[in-house]
Every structure is written in structure tokens, then in C-alpha cells.
Amino acid sequence: MTTLDVSALRTRFRGQVVAPGDAGYDAARRLFYGGLDPRPAVVIRPADAAEVAGVVTLARETGLELSVRCGGHSLVGHSVVDSGIVIDLAGLRAIAVDVEERTVWAQAGLTAGDVTNTVSEHGLAIGFGDTGTVGIGGITTGGGVGFLSRKYGMTIDNVLAAEVVTADGQILQVDAENHPDLFWAIRGGGGNFGVVTRFKYRLHQVPGVVGGMLMLPATPDVVHGFLREAAAAPDELSVIVNVMTAPPMPFIPADLHGQLVALGLVCYAGPADEGEKVLAPIRALAEPLADFVRPITYAEMFPAEEGGGGGEFHPTATARTLFADELSLDTVTRVLNQLETAPAPMRVTQFRPLGGAIARIADDATAYAHRGRPFMVNVAAFLDGPDTRPEREQWVLETAAIAENGDPGAYVNFLGEDGARRAREAYPGATWERLTQVKRQYDPENLFRHNVNIPPAA
């Protein structure tokens, strides 16, 4: 270990160098989720890919732990390492749209909202997740499941090329022809193989969508019907159904505050008249408690909100992600019973019907190996303090066990405290073996280990 000379670092790098005692230090180390208080030795915001390589070299020279930050949304704070070096990509914000080719080069300091807003000016879109403040680096390397996934595939299915800084400080241009194994691994394998400094994405013509929030009563028949209709709908429709306690928002009747509701986020990527027809059976399940679904631009699916770690809302929760091959009425009923009797005032079970374009790609085409799974489920309970964690964790595990069926599986971007234990569920069978081989080639010393880690093959 070496003590860092911060003055020397400020001479060495053109990008911003933030150290303990600096006015911006607390903001630089703050994360989206609460309950985390890492104190890095230094946060460096490189000016370009060459400086990213320089910081990687610095970590090797000093022996200090290294982490990479894009949006700061890691559930367990992987992006800010305690007592080590943080590469904060916030300064890498260049974006170049080729309207005729329908592609965009975007640097990894941009958020999903940044890229979406820029390309939407041309009637184009690339699907990320469902939160605009998430950094594109993290969501892309982990997979990217969101509002356009059933129509146009996951984010990784639209990555055409990338620029990657590897553990030895090289800057590589990777695609299907150049370093194909590395290109395969960064599409779903997370940040294990290097620092991706920019991506080239395929864009799609999406002049408008029928989208927004639809809130329905959280009865077993309504929630099961919502999932059944969404799974059977054309690929143009992607939905996220959050069964949760109604927040005290002004558009929700006061007598519903704190009561269970089914809050659906709906996106139909097609003509408005067709979207209304597809959504009619869902609306007919029950009288909506709130209905904000309407023709909008795709960018409006990502409303303005407090960015990354800079806002005042820093939730602390325990969660579990899983897949389900079926969600029967009985299963949904039992999950809702769990939600009714949960110890946490704020709790949620999120259902995501998958399929469509996601499932039409082979499991081994990318490092995301769960193509055929029809449903993703996420269970979370918010904490009121550290002493509430044990009971909330137990409730989450019990609820997840009710919903889970089929082979064990996990989506790496939603793994939390259980990430180390469940890495093999995120990357089953041959996917894990291939990833460890790629890791051995590009990061044999496991420099990039603050993530859901894939060790190099022996």
C-alpha cells in the first residue's frame, strides 16, 4: 500500500481530483441508496479514456482497491470503494448521433435520461431501464431490461461496439470482429473486464409511445390479470407492475395512502390507436385508481427527478431478485397475502413480464443467459433502521420463495447483499465458465473486483 500524494495527482491528471477534506468530497462519495458511508482515499474524474487508463495504472502501482462509478445506483455501493481509488466517469459526457445510420456513440458518464433525451430529438430511441438517473455504463454492462425490451431487446442487444480500458491500461476498440470474447463478456458480465468508456448503440425509430402510470386495485384477480394480459400482448407492450403501499401523492385519494395498490408502468411502442386497443383489457380489469397512460414521447417515460446520489432521498432496503416460469393466481394470491402482513411499512413486489425480443436471442449470444425466462420478480422491504434488517430480510426471503419457480436465476443488476453468493445464478453453466476464461485473459489479477465478481479461471 502507498499513501497517495494528492498534489501530485492533480498535476498528473487534467480531470478533477477530489480527496478527503475537499469541499466536494461528501458529494463525490454519496450514493443513491442509503445505509452506506464509504470514504475513498480519492475520487478521480478522468478527462478522457487515456486518463481512465492512467487511473487504472495508478491503482496497480499503489495496490489500492479500485472501483468504477457511473450513476452511483449500485444496491450495495460497489461503485465507491472505502479507502481506495474511485474512477468517477461523470466527466465523460460526449455524445454523437448519426441519424442516417441510426446509431449513437455515448460516453459512459451519461445517464439513461441524458441519452434518451438527446436521441429523442430525432425521433429515435435506445431502451435502457426505467430510471433516467441510472448511468449507462452500469445498466448496459449488466444487461438493461426496461420499457422497450420486449420490442427491441435488452440494452446489450443494441450495443454495436465499445471502447474498453483493460486492467493493463490498454484502450481497446471492441466489437463482433475485434476482441469478440471481450465484446461478448461486457454485454451482461458487468464491470469485471475493464472500464467501458463509451458505447455505440443501435437506435430505433420511436416517434411516440402510449405510456405512463396506471394504478389499479391490488386484488389477486387484478394483479394476475394484469400480468396475464401483458405477457400475452404484442411485443410493442412492456410493463412493470409494482404491488406496493400507495405513497402519499396528491393524485392518490387520501384513504388509499398506505394501502396496497398495483402501480403499473406501461409503454406501448407503436401507433396510439393500436396501443389503446391493446391496453383496453388491462384497463377493464378494474376501475383505475389513477390513469396517466396517454400518447407521449418516449423521453417522457423518464420524468425529471433528483439525480444519482445528489438528491435528498436515499432509501435503505433489503431486496431479492429472481425469475419465475409461471405466476399462477394462487402464487399471486400468496404474494399479496405476504405484502398485506409485511413488517415493513414500505414494501414492494415488482413483476416484469419478459419474452418478446428478449427471448428470440440465444442464451449464449451475450453474457445474459436467461433469455427464455418469462417473468422477472423483485421483492424489497425498506428499513427503518439497522435493527429492522433481520426481520425485513426474513420477510423478503419468504416472499421470494413463494414467487420463485423454475431454475434458480438472478439478474445481475438487481443483486444486492447476496451478490457474491448468487453470482453463479446470474451466470449459469457454460456462461460462467466462459466468463472466467475471458476474465483470465483481460484481468488475471482481478483488479476489477468491486462488482458481482467473476474470478479469473485458474
Side-chain angles (χ1 to χ4, degrees):
M1 293 293 184
T2 304
T3 301
L4 291 173
D5 182 339
V6 175
S7 296
L9 294 181
R10 289 185 170 128
T11 301
R12 179 171 175 176
F13 296 104
R14 290 181 294 115
Q16 187 179 17
V17 175
V18 185
D22 290 345
Y25 179 70
D26 286 339
R29 67 189 183 89
R30 188 179 299 132
L31 295 158
F32 178 79
Y33 290 98
L36 304 164
D37 190 30
R39 302 189 68 85
V42 67
V43 177
I44 302 176
R45 296 182 175 126
D48 53 29
E51 288 208 338
V52 172
V55 182
V56 170
T57 300
L58 175 69
R60 290 202 322 273
E61 291 171 349
T62 60
L64 291 173
E65 299 277 311
L66 178 69
S67 68
V68 182
R69 176 183 181 129
C70 295
H73 279 254
S74 166
L75 289 169
V76 288
H78 284 315
S79 51
V80 179
V81 61
D82 197 53
S83 301
I85 300 170
V86 178
I87 298 177
D88 186 344
L89 300 177
L92 304 183
R93 298 183 53 79
I95 185 167
V97 183
D98 187 321
V99 176
E100 290 188 7
E101 190 184 50
R102 291 188 194 169
T103 61
V104 59
W105 274 105
Q107 286 192 313
L110 295 162
T111 65
D114 292 332
V115 177
T116 299
N117 288 329
T118 298
V119 302
S120 71
E121 296 173 5
H122 308 283
L124 302 171
I126 163 70
F128 291 107
D130 55 83
T131 304
T133 56
V134 170
I136 66 170
I139 195 169
T140 301
T141 56
V145 179
F147 294 130
L148 296 178
S149 295
R150 281 168 46 86
K151 176 63 175 175
Y152 296 118
M154 301 171 67
T155 308
I156 52 175
D157 302 328
N158 296 284
V159 175
L160 301 174
E163 180 180 76
V164 185
V165 177
T166 53
D168 58 2
Q170 291 191 74
I171 304 173
L172 303 180
Q173 307 300 318
V174 306
D175 54 33
E177 305 297 327
N178 300 286
H179 307 282
D181 282 344
L182 181 58
F183 183 57
W184 173 85
I186 64 169
R187 290 176 295 151
N192 277 280
F193 309 95
V195 184
V196 183
T197 50
R198 63 177 186 149
F199 299 89
K200 183 181 183 181
Y201 297 108
R202 177 190 299 111
L203 300 174
H204 303 276
Q205 275 198 312
V206 184
V209 301
V210 178
M213 188 195 74
L214 176 65
M215 185 182 294
L216 299 176
T219 68
D221 286 335
V222 169
V223 174
H224 179 253
F226 202 149
L227 298 175
R228 181 190 63 240
E229 295 293 341
D235 293 352
E236 284 78 5
L237 182 66
S238 291
V239 307
I240 302 169
V241 181
N242 296 297
V243 183
M244 59 186 291
T245 47
M249 304 294 284
F251 58 84
I252 301 174
D255 60 337
L256 289 176
H257 293 175
Q259 303 299 309
L260 283 187
V261 295
L263 193 156
L265 300 174
V266 174
C267 182
Y268 182 86
D273 56 344
E274 294 179 13
E276 295 296 338
K277 292 176 184 177
V278 170
L279 290 169
I282 295 174
R283 284 189 168 114
L285 292 168
E287 182 70 25
L289 304 174
D291 187 347
F292 296 103
V293 179
R294 66 196 194 285
I296 57 175
T297 66
Y298 179 64
E300 290 177 87
M301 292 297 300
F302 298 91
E305 54 189 313
E306 293 288 347
E312 295 304 317
F313 179 59
H314 299 284
T316 304
T318 180
R320 188 171 177 89
T321 184
L322 56 105
F323 291 100
D325 288 344
E326 62 175 346
L327 290 170
S328 66
L329 178 59
D330 177 67
T331 297
V332 170
T333 301
R334 293 169 64 200
V335 170
L336 265 61
N337 287 339
Q338 282 286 108
L339 285 161
E340 288 282 8
T341 59
M346 285 295 295
R347 65 275 190 188
V348 59
T349 297
Q350 180 187 84
F351 301 98
R352 293 178 180 240
L354 303 176
I358 300 172
R360 287 194 288 273
I361 294 175
D363 275 349
D364 62 357
T366 65
Y368 175 86
H370 306 285
R371 296 290 181 169
R373 306 306 295 269
F375 297 99
M376 182 187 295
V377 183
N378 301 300
V379 182
F382 292 81
L383 308 185
D384 300 319
D387 57 324
T388 64
R389 180 176 288 276
E391 68 171 8
R392 308 286 163 89
E393 287 181 341
Q394 183 63 31
W395 178 84
V396 165
L397 290 174
E398 291 172 357
T399 307
I402 294 170
E404 188 169 23
N405 55 75
D407 293 334
Y411 173 47
V412 70
N413 276 351
F414 290 158
L415 283 173
E417 310 96 331
D418 54 356
R421 299 191 305 274
R422 301 183 66 202
R424 296 292 292 267
E425 292 180 31
Y427 305 114
T431 299
W432 177 265
E433 301 305 324
R434 184 175 177 184
L435 285 168
T436 63
Q437 295 291 339
V438 179
K439 180 76 168 181
R440 182 173 67 178
Q441 181 178 355
Y442 290 96
D443 185 16
E445 302 300 322
N446 204 10
L447 179 70
F448 300 110
R449 58 184 176 272
H450 282 272
N451 43 46
V452 177
N453 195 233
I454 299 165

